[in-house]
Amino acid sequence: MSRTSNRVRALRTLRRQSLAQLAERAGVSRLTLRAVEAGLYMPSLTLAVRLARVLNHPVEDLFAV
């Protein structure tokens, strides 16, 4: 399984949000968010946009394949 690169964890910690807080605000489980942050799960476009909105960051800058 290949990993994807993303800035979700870096932006979350920069904004001093816990994993649980971001997961709740984005409407996903902590397990899903943990997998996204680790690069083990590529989120759907819907989830990627939700994360970008919650983190107040452009979605195209969050993920790189």
Side-chain angles (χ1 to χ4, degrees), residues 9 14 16 38:
R9 180 179 291 145
L14 182 68
R16 300 179 189 267

Side-chain angles (χ1 to χ4, degrees), residues 6-21:
N6 70 72
R7 300 190 61 218
V8 176
R9 180 179 291 145
L11 290 168
R12 175 178 62 78
T13 56
L14 182 68
R15 286 161 175 74
R16 300 179 189 267
Q17 290 184 352
S18 70
L19 187 81
Q21 289 169 327

Side-chain angles (χ1 to χ4, degrees), residues 19-45:
L19 187 81
Q21 289 169 327
L22 180 56
E24 183 177 334
R25 291 184 66 204
V28 296
S29 70
R30 289 178 305 189
L31 184 61
T32 297
L33 184 56
R34 187 176 300 129
V36 169
E37 287 187 347
L40 299 173
Y41 176 73
M42 178 60 89
S44 66
L45 181 57

